[in-house]
Amino acid sequence: MRRDQPMRFLAWATEAALIAGPFGLHQPPADAAALAPDIILTPLVGFDRHGNRIGQGAGYYDRAFLAHPDAWRIGIALAIQEVDALTPDAWDVPLHAIATDKDWITP
């Protein structure tokens, strides 16, 4: 997986074998059927209560959000990662909610 490739959501049956993927993760094979997710969980570096977020800077999740506009966008972070306000760029897609170790935030 390269950062410039789109994120794919693939079908998997629990009895099917997974293959080795990047970062030591196991994943369905590349020829598995593509699915449209209902929810996209997004790791955060930082966030504000308006649904703005800081990620890793490559736009990987922004592209997934645009490809799946009906999916709920949920950020996952620790409460300490919250900042008062972020200024989003034009391409940043806001979150529907943020789950932290202390709160469920809906902008």
Side-chain angles (χ1 to χ4, degrees):
M1 174 182 79
R2 295 183 352 224
R3 285 186 143 196
D4 62 342
Q5 292 179 327
M7 187 180 299
R8 296 179 61 218
F9 299 89
L10 303 175
W12 175 68
T14 55
E15 61 277 353
L18 295 171
I19 62 168
F23 310 111
L25 301 174
H26 291 84
Q27 63 189 32
D31 62 353
L35 301 173
D38 294 321
I39 298 171
I40 300 175
L41 299 176
T42 308
L44 303 176
V45 173
F47 68 93
D48 67 20
R49 290 195 172 247
H50 301 285
N52 299 310
R53 63 191 169 77
I54 299 173
Q56 302 251 341
Y60 202 58
Y61 281 91
D62 288 304
R63 290 190 299 276
F65 295 161
L66 292 174
H68 302 284
D70 294 330
W72 256 65
R73 302 177 299 273
I74 310 293
I76 306 294
L78 297 172
I80 197 164
Q81 292 171 266
E82 182 177 353
V83 298
D84 289 335
L86 293 170
T87 302
D89 289 311
W91 58 83
D92 288 331
V93 180
L95 299 167
H96 290 110
I98 300 117
T100 75
D101 54 317
K102 297 185 179 186
D103 206 358
W104 175 259
I105 301 162
T106 53

